[in-house]
Amino acid sequence: MTVGGALVADAATGRTAGHVSGSTAEGAITSGDRSYRFHGELHDVTVDGDAEVSLDGKAVEP
């Protein structure tokens, strides 16, 4: 995923997948969920397979 500002893993879950750098997170999630916090707009989310993506508690299309 790519966002318009700084992106960090959500410390509340403590679970991240892959690599977070600046405004981008990349990696694979095989089970469970992952949470991130960011400022700015969500620019891109790419999903390969079945996944639910939400922003501010509302479902979004990846």
Side-chain angles (χ1 to χ4, degrees):
M1 95 170 128
T2 303
V3 300
L7 174 71
V8 296
D10 187 347
T13 63
R15 296 180 294 188
T16 62
H19 179 71
V20 177
S21 177
S23 62
T24 302
E26 296 183 29
I29 300 171
T30 56
S31 65
D33 60 352
R34 305 299 184 266
S35 296
Y36 300 92
R37 295 189 179 274
F38 62 92
H39 295 283
E41 295 184 16
L42 178 63
H43 290 292
D44 180 58
V45 175
T46 302
V47 175
D48 183 17
D50 295 329
E52 294 179 15
V53 178
S54 63
L55 177 62
D56 294 330
K58 297 179 183 176
V60 297
E61 289 294 321

